[in-house]
Amino acid sequence: MKIVKVQDYEEISKKAASYIAAQVQLKPSCILGLATGSTPYGTYQELIRYHREEDLSFQKVRTVNLDEYYGLPATHEQSYSHFMRENLFRYIDILPENTHIPDGLATDPNAFGREYDELIVSLGGIDMQLLGIGSNGHIAFNEPDNCFVAQTRLVDLNHNTIEDNARFFESAEEVPRQAISMGMKSILGAKRILILASGKGKADAVKGMLEGSVDPMLPASILQLHQNVTLIADLAALSQTTESVLR
Ligand code: GLP
């Protein structure tokens, strides 16, 4: 895994956006895998700047998002559909029909998941997948478990994740208990993966991902098996990582 060590969140955002912008310039019809959460917010702000100030066009880009809370309609303020619309899509020239996000109201979420994986294959696979990392080491909503799961499917959220994400809701009780999450097969099928980590709350998960064994109890550790992963992390997120690993 290539590690790009930067000072702070702002630098993560600029660096990540520059990689994504380069991907879009090199292949205007690329498939981008997109993430939500607080971490990619700055990256999206920077991509909006590229669009406005540097004429970067997303007209031919197609996107697939990692996950969605189960039970929330796309109109709900905390849905990931709403997040993507309000923090990226409405400010760039992407065509709404080219954006894909799991349907939080799917009546058969596991059948939906299978179709979502097939959709990704039919698009030609993900060229560049953006990821954040949960404080428990999750990627998308693939929570620590006793095995890795390949398929996109309905998942139960871990109590840790519910607590972490309660800050976006009025209270922890309001955080949905389930989500539809992209599975490991589609994530690892991406040609290139960018994973972002900011802040000391991620330091243990980052250390485990880089230095531990490949272990489903720390889902991000599976990225060790992928040939083209770049971690962009700030000093705080790398504060627990052994110095020699960073050289
Ligand atoms: C969320 C999302 C993940 C995200 C992670 C970290 O629950 N499902 O895709 O990477 O948790 O979130 P944040 O960036 O807000 O720390």
Side-chain angles (χ1 to χ4, degrees):
M1 190 177 305
K2 184 176 171 208
I3 304 169
V4 179
K5 179 177 173 179
V6 298
Q7 286 292 320
D8 54 20
Y9 179 74
E10 197 185 336
E11 229 186 305
I12 292 177
S13 304
K14 288 200 167 135
K15 191 61 97 181
S18 74
Y19 283 38
I20 298 168
Q23 170 69 68
V24 174
Q25 273 155 356
L26 285 172
K27 185 179 174 189
S29 61
C30 65
I31 313 297
L32 295 179
L34 298 179
T36 49
S38 52
T39 309
Y41 171 79
T43 304
Y44 296 153
Q45 289 293 108
E46 188 61 14
L47 285 175
I48 294 167
R49 192 195 64 72
Y50 271 98
H51 173 63
R52 287 185 173 158
E53 296 174 15
E54 302 187 30
D55 287 335
L56 182 69
S57 175
F58 294 81
Q59 241 173 8
K60 294 184 182 159
V61 170
R62 284 153 300 160
T63 64
V64 284
N65 261 77
L66 286 169
D67 44 19
E68 179 60 283
Y69 287 116
Y70 191 55
L72 294 193
T75 49
H76 191 285
E77 275 201 2
Q78 292 309 329
S79 74
Y80 287 164
S81 271
H82 186 269
F83 176 97
M84 291 309 302
R85 228 174 14 252
E86 294 303 316
N87 294 303
L88 182 64
F89 295 155
R90 62 180 285 194
Y91 299 107
I92 58 176
D93 61 346
I94 196 158
L95 303 175
E97 61 269 31
N98 285 345
T99 65
H100 305 279
I101 301 180
D103 177 5
L105 297 183
T107 43
D108 184 343
N110 290 328
F112 177 89
R114 285 191 291 277
E115 284 165 23
Y116 201 71
D117 287 330
E118 283 162 17
L119 167 79
I120 292 169
V121 172
S122 73
L123 290 172
I126 297 167
D127 289 296
M128 182 176 276
Q129 176 66 57
L130 182 63
L131 293 176
I133 182 169
S135 61
N136 63 3
H138 75 210
I139 48 176
F141 272 130
N142 292 286
E143 297 283 30
D145 207 342
N146 48 21
C147 62
F148 292 110
V149 181
Q151 293 81 22
T152 298
R153 71 216 178 275
L154 186 66
V155 297
D156 293 329
L157 301 185
N158 190 299
H159 63 93
N160 241 105
T161 302
I162 292 168
E163 272 168 34
D164 282 355
N165 289 0
R167 66 191 195 277
F168 300 112
F169 292 80
E170 298 277 312
S171 68
E173 284 68 51
E174 284 187 23
V175 182
R177 271 30 187 180
Q178 292 182 304
I180 298 179
S181 176
M182 194 187 283
M184 292 304 193
K185 189 171 179 193
S186 289
I187 295 175
L188 290 184
K191 296 176 187 79
R192 180 157 197 196
I193 296 176
L194 278 188
I195 179 163
L196 314 183
S198 176
K200 64 176 183 337
K202 304 295 173 68
D204 289 334
V206 167
K207 180 184 173 70
M209 168 177 74
L210 294 172
E211 299 183 41
S213 50
V214 176
D215 180 350
M217 288 309 290
L218 203 147
S221 63
I222 200 172
L223 298 175
Q224 292 176 25
L225 303 179
H226 193 281
Q227 300 213 344
N228 198 340
V229 182
T230 304
L231 165 68
I232 308 176
D234 58 19
L235 299 179
L238 290 170
S239 58
Q240 298 298 322
T241 300
T242 307
E243 197 51 45
S244 58
V245 174
L246 301 176
R247 279 190 219 118

